[in-house]
Amino acid sequence: MSKSADLAARIRDQAGAEAPRLGLILGSGLGHLADRVEGVAIDYADLPGFPHAGVSGHNPKLVVGQLGGTRVAVFGGRSHYYESGKADAMRLPLEVLADLGAEGLIATNAAGSLRPDMPTGSLMLLSDHINFSGLNPLIGEPTDRRFVPMGDAHDPGLRQSLRDAAEAEDVGMHEGVYAWYSGPSFETPAEIRAIRTLGADAVGMSTVPEVILARFLGLKAAAISTITNMAAGLSDEAISHDHTKAMAPLGAAKLEKVLTRFLA
Ligand code: HPA
């Protein structure tokens, strides 16, 4: 049995055999959403190969159960490229999600805004992304399955349902392009000007490798950013991880409403 199939079997033993419909990855400062799930929580430490989620503001456990009326698998924390130098750090958890029988993945993250009309506290649904890192989680994958088409990587159907949920909850949600920057240092103002010219609306250090992996594994994907700061050079606001964690709750309350309605 593959490592992911083995882990999926162990998770089913603990949390029940019913397949989760969706996986949710929670970003920096958003990990507490995992506590809203009615189900069984399993520490990443008890799932060999899962990331230790060493970034503060994350909640390193997998919770399988009901959220808003849908069975979900919530990943309370993620591993980032900048922690290990491995762009495929989330491959095993996403393989497990696929083996559990999920249809799709909703990733969330904290991000910096490149748009003056999208201030701190905003939500942004990703219409698409730019892989500004030059990295790819499928480098080294030996099969021809590595040539994943990315034309509809951010699933139109999931995006429409998320838009509908935001509208029903009367939560304003922007849409735009997310650029993946490796981190862990933040961007320079010149880098932000560069990616703005290239068409990015927000910038962050995650999500893109997960969307690539999800598509590779046959999962639909969509993602939402919570804006925790204006990107470098765009305001006098401090940019720091502490600031990210402090500002994430502004968007988290909106995000929780949208996701709960989306799952209803
Ligand atoms: N840049 C990169 N990642 C981020 C930012 C940012 O400004 N804010 C939150 N995550």
Side-chain angles (χ1 to χ4, degrees):
M1 210 192 292
S2 72
K3 202 169 168 181
S4 60
D6 181 48
L7 285 171
R10 284 168 55 174
I11 291 164
R12 274 193 213 100
D13 282 347
Q14 291 187 47
E18 193 192 335
R21 265 194 63 203
L22 291 168
L24 249 67
I25 298 180
L26 304 180
S28 290
L30 307 171
H32 73 278
L33 265 179
D35 301 326
R36 296 286 152 92
V37 183
E38 284 170 42
V40 173
I42 307 170
D43 286 338
Y44 283 3
D46 294 328
L47 296 168
F50 267 52
H52 297 300
V55 182
S56 58
H58 287 251
N59 191 359
K61 59 189 180 186
L62 171 67
V63 192
V64 180
Q66 297 290 125
L67 184 64
T70 300
R71 190 163 166 87
V72 292
V74 176
F75 298 84
R78 59 155 58 88
S79 191
H80 307 78
Y81 167 76
Y82 62 72
E83 292 172 68
S84 61
K86 296 190 181 88
D88 66 350
M90 287 299 284
R91 179 161 174 165
L92 180 67
L94 291 171
E95 284 174 342
V96 168
L97 180 66
D99 285 344
L100 286 172
E103 291 166 25
L105 171 74
I106 310 290
T108 66
N109 60 55
S113 171
L114 276 64
R115 277 181 17 204
D117 69 329
M118 191 165 69
T120 298
S122 302
L123 295 185
M124 188 189 91
L125 175 65
L126 276 64
S127 56
D128 205 344
H129 70 237
I130 296 173
N131 184 350
F132 194 62
S133 70
L135 304 162
N136 196 294
L138 298 178
I139 289 173
E141 161 61 35
T143 69
D144 275 359
R145 290 172 54 225
R146 63 191 162 192
F147 300 113
V148 179
M150 294 292 288
D152 60 355
H154 294 264
D155 186 71
L158 286 178
R159 280 161 52 211
Q160 188 56 49
S161 301
L162 288 162
R163 262 185 226 119
D164 292 345
E167 202 177 307
E169 285 294 323
D170 209 12
V171 168
M173 185 165 69
H174 298 260
E175 278 187 62
V177 173
Y178 173 96
W180 176 32
Y181 186 83
S182 78
S185 55
F186 285 97
E187 304 75 30
T188 65
E191 285 161 346
I192 292 301
R193 285 195 297 277
I195 54 177
R196 190 147 80 158
T197 304
L198 293 175
D201 300 294
V203 62
M205 304 179 191
S206 68
T207 302
V208 169
E210 295 150 15
V211 170
I212 294 170
L213 285 166
R215 298 305 298 136
F216 171 70
L217 295 167
L219 297 164
K220 293 178 184 173
I224 300 180
S225 294
T226 59
I227 300 299
T228 55
N229 57 278
M230 296 309 291
L234 298 183
S235 91
D236 297 334
E237 195 180 20
I239 298 180
S240 69
H241 187 57
D242 280 343
H243 185 78
T244 296
K245 285 186 293 178
M247 294 299 139
L250 287 180
K254 295 183 196 171
L255 184 62
E256 200 171 315
K257 279 191 187 173
V258 173
L259 290 178
T260 309
R261 174 66 73 122
F262 164 76
L263 295 169

